[in-house]
Amino acid sequence: MIPISDENPTERTPLVSWAILVLCVVAFFWQVSLGQEGAARAVYGLGFIPAVVLEGAQLPPGVQLVPPWLTPFTSQFLHGGLLHLIGNLLFLWVFADNVEDALGHVRFVLFYLLCGAAAALGHGLLAPGSEVPMIGASGAISGVLGAYLLLHPAARVTFLIPLGLILYPARLPAAFVLLFWFVLQLLQALFTPPDQPGVAFLAHVTGFVAGMFLLLVFKPRGRSPFG
């Protein structure tokens, strides 16, 4: 399912969500500008590598760009390709503004970064010796989806559903779509080794759960987190 819009107006301008989107795009073009070898070095230097962060493994000289404890955060702004970037930013564009509206700009910054870090660590704890770098905003965006589910379960979301070569639009309740998405990620995580290259489905699962939990921590007083 490809989200394109939701029927859920906001009161605040989503400045932070827009800034995150721009940073991801700028970071992607920076990666491309480095060439293949330079981009690979950036992924290893800024991506989250469980063996480095959790077991103290050392990167080759000249590869480490930031302290290892920062990589659960820096990894959130890198992407492995144009489709990876576009897919993440579509979900960010549709769902993040309402979560930012509920939390406020400052709380949303903390919420977003912590969701991404929790997603990375949740993925890494099951494969602490993995040397495969994890990059992408999907862990943090999964947290946004978890928060959106609690805040606006009845909101109508328009999705494009690919059937063969044709994309069919459908308007569905957020609760149905997001729960379906979560179950799909969970099932794929159960059958995907966390130490192998590919989609980090476990990070999606842990990010989603972290988003639901952190919403209860950061939610402003006087507003129900259950729609």
Side-chain angles (χ1 to χ4, degrees):
M1 295 183 180
I2 304 169
I4 56 174
S5 67
D6 65 339
E7 298 174 5
N8 199 359
T10 61
E11 297 178 3
R12 308 177 206 252
T13 302
L15 299 176
V16 175
S17 300
W18 292 352
I20 292 170
L21 189 150
V22 170
L23 284 172
C24 288
V25 172
V26 170
F28 177 75
F29 283 104
W30 170 70
Q31 289 176 253
V32 172
S33 73
L34 298 175
Q36 186 172 357
E37 184 177 339
R41 186 180 298 112
V43 167
Y44 275 89
L46 297 172
F48 171 75
I49 303 175
V52 173
V53 177
L54 301 176
E55 295 195 340
Q58 297 295 315
L59 291 171
V63 175
Q64 181 173 309
L65 300 178
V66 296
W69 64 268
L70 272 180
T71 59
F73 302 101
T74 57
S75 62
Q76 299 175 32
F77 298 94
L78 303 181
H79 288 83
L82 187 59
L83 290 180
H84 187 202
L85 174 71
I86 292 173
N88 279 341
L89 295 190
L90 275 174
F91 278 86
L92 180 71
W93 177 261
V94 172
F95 294 105
D97 59 340
N98 293 104
V99 179
E100 182 177 349
D101 189 47
L103 296 178
H105 304 311
V106 175
R107 287 173 183 258
F108 182 71
V109 171
L110 296 174
F111 169 86
Y112 184 89
L113 293 175
L114 288 175
C115 282
L121 293 173
H123 169 81
L125 287 173
L126 283 189
S130 173
E131 298 180 353
V132 178
M134 191 187 86
I135 58 172
S138 56
I141 294 171
S142 297
V144 170
L145 302 185
Y148 192 102
L149 174 63
L150 293 184
L151 287 167
H152 306 291
R156 307 291 288 187
V157 181
T158 300
F159 281 82
L160 296 178
I161 302 175
L163 297 175
L165 298 177
I166 302 176
L167 296 174
Y168 288 89
R171 290 172 60 250
L172 300 167
F176 172 82
V177 173
L178 296 178
L179 286 173
F180 176 82
W181 179 89
F182 176 75
V183 171
L184 185 63
Q185 304 306 303
L186 181 60
L187 290 175
Q188 292 182 100
L190 293 175
F191 296 100
T192 303
D195 58 348
Q196 297 299 312
V199 179
F201 293 109
L202 185 59
H204 298 173
V205 172
T206 54
F208 190 92
V209 174
M212 298 177 77
F213 171 76
L214 287 172
L215 178 70
L216 303 178
V217 175
F218 287 110
K219 188 73 167 62
R221 293 180 180 179
R223 297 183 62 174
S224 170
F226 301 104

